[in-house]
């Protein structure tokens, strides 16, 4: 393992603590690797069985003032901002794909917020629901699972989406009935002109375009660790609002609007998955073709 690290231009700041590990017993090695060379090193460590016999812990370094790190970055082909660390992405999206109580709670809360935004014709509430909604995590995990042939991840993601959306819609229907009984909202609000939010249940060709571009941007934000970009993606694709609008329409028995919202939801989900898979495939091919340099 020491030889693997010593021979790779992307690695620097190697520190060895002989016999420091107790459970399991062995040496502890710490080192820095530039992002564009990380996947190659991680593959080598896994081939050596380090993840099986010990552990591989990855910490992202936001700032490193080091001439050695700068030299490693110059010697390694590619740019760190464009690099895809597949192990990191699989782990990150795998956690987001879990069907947990918090995931279902966020889905319900986001859809209720969106439902109120629909009835009040308030885009601010719609945007808020998009940010709160956790659905992009399983969608991204589904794309990663398909590209990396991690079918267990695909199944977990599909289950989270297949359960999360219906549960959120049921919660929203019940919430709308409760708010109606309390006299806070009524059916006339749904049937009134809503120029600021009626796009949610009137899908067109642009719905596909926006969903596709949102999928591309979302995957790129995950692979390049640009969280700010991901927030922009979340407020551009109407998945949660479409599901919430369908739930409101179902609660009030407005069939055409429920159907239109459902179509909008399907279009956006399909566009995001297609865009995510294609983006990951392009990144995978591009990084496989990059030459590796060693000392």
């Amino acid at each position: 393992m020491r030889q693997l690290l010593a021979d790779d231009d992307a690695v620097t700041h190697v520190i060895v603590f002989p016999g420091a590990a107790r459970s399991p017993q062995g040496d502890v090695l710490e080192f820095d690797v530039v992002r564009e060379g990380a996947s190659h090193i991680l593959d080598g460590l896994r081939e050596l069985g380090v993840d099986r016999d010990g552990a591989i812990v990855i910490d992202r370094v936001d700032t490193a003032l080091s001439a050695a790190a700068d030299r490693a970055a110059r010697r390694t082909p590619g740019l760190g901002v464009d690099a895809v660390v597949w192990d990191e992405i699989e782990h990150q999206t795998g956690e987001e794909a879990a069907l947990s109580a918090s995931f279902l709670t966020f889905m319900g809360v986001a859809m209720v917020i969106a439902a109120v935004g629909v009835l009040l014709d308030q885009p601010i509430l719609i945007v808020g629901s998009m940010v709160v909604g956790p659905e992009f995590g399983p969608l991204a995990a589904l794309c990663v699972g398909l590209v990396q042939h991690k079918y267990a991840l695909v199944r977990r993601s599909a289950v989270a989406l297949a359960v999360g959306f219906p549960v959120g819609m049921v919660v929203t229907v019940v919430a709308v009935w409760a708010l109606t009984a309390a006299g806070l909202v009524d059916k006339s609000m749904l049937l009134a002109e809503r120029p600021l939010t009626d796009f949610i249940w009137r899908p067109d060709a642009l719905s596909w375009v926006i969903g596709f571009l949102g999928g591309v941007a979302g995957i790129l934000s995950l692979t390049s660790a640009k969280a700010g970009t991901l927030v922009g993606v979340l407020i551009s694709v109407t998945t949660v609002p479409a599901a919430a609008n369908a739930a409101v329409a179902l609660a009030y028995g407005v069939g055409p609007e429920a159907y239109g919202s459902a179509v909008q939801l399907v279009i956006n989900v399909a566009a995001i998955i297609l865009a995510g898979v294609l983006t990951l495939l392009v990144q995978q091919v591009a990084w496989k073709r990059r030459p590796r340099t060693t000392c």
Side-chain angles (χ1 to χ4, degrees):
M1 181 168 62
R2 298 183 189 183
Q3 193 63 42
L4 170 70
L5 301 179
D7 288 345
D8 199 291
D9 283 345
V11 176
T12 186
H13 304 145
V14 180
I15 303 173
V16 182
F17 301 95
R22 292 293 178 265
S23 178
Q25 291 187 347
D27 300 340
V28 175
L29 277 75
E30 295 182 359
F31 61 91
D32 292 335
V33 56
V34 293
R35 186 175 178 86
E36 52 269 41
S39 286
H40 175 73
I41 290 296
L42 288 171
D43 289 342
L45 293 176
R46 296 183 75 169
E47 288 177 4
L48 293 173
V50 176
D51 57 329
R52 182 186 65 251
D53 301 328
I56 302 173
V57 180
I58 303 173
D59 285 328
R60 184 182 296 119
V61 178
D62 294 325
T63 304
L65 304 180
S66 165
D70 292 339
R71 287 193 296 271
R74 288 194 298 269
R75 292 195 300 256
T76 307
L79 296 174
V81 70
D82 294 330
V84 181
V85 183
W86 291 105
D87 292 281
E88 177 187 46
I89 298 304
E90 288 177 23
H91 182 75
Q92 180 180 349
T93 56
E95 291 182 342
E96 297 292 331
L99 181 61
S100 61
S102 60
F103 175 79
L104 294 176
T105 301
F106 275 118
M107 286 293 284
V109 169
M111 287 194 194
V112 172
I113 293 173
V116 175
V118 164
L119 292 171
L120 297 179
D121 196 32
Q122 285 292 335
I124 293 178
L125 294 178
I126 299 299
V127 170
S129 72
M130 292 176 177
V131 175
V132 173
E135 79 287 358
F136 189 78
L139 286 171
L142 183 63
C143 296
V144 173
L146 290 172
V147 172
Q148 294 292 97
H149 305 292
K150 306 287 185 179
Y151 297 114
L153 181 58
V154 172
R155 286 193 297 272
R156 290 202 308 272
S157 306
V159 168
L161 294 170
V163 175
F165 275 107
V167 168
M169 292 175 69
V170 169
V171 170
T172 303
V173 169
V174 173
V176 169
W177 286 342
L179 293 173
T180 302
L184 298 177
V185 298
D186 57 61
K187 185 176 179 178
S188 64
M189 299 171 70
L190 182 68
L191 299 177
E193 289 293 325
R194 292 179 286 124
L196 299 179
T197 58
D198 64 355
F199 68 93
I200 294 173
W201 65 278
R202 291 177 176 172
D204 53 23
L206 286 177
S207 300
W208 174 266
V209 173
I210 296 301
F212 187 87
L213 294 176
V216 172
I219 292 298
L220 286 176
S221 70
L222 288 176
T223 57
S224 62
K226 287 186 173 294
T229 305
L230 183 57
V231 172
V233 173
L234 298 178
I235 65 175
S236 66
V237 183
T238 54
T239 47
V240 163
N245 200 89
V248 174
L250 288 172
Y252 287 135
V254 183
E257 189 158 336
Y259 174 78
S261 301
V263 172
Q264 178 78 274
L265 175 61
V266 171
I267 288 175
N268 279 279
V269 169
I272 290 172
I273 293 175
L274 177 62
V277 169
L278 291 177
T279 301
L280 289 170
L281 285 173
V282 170
Q283 290 179 304
Q284 188 179 58
V285 171
W287 278 93
K288 280 184 177 180
R289 290 181 176 178
R290 290 181 182 273
R292 288 297 310 160
T293 59
T294 56
C295 298

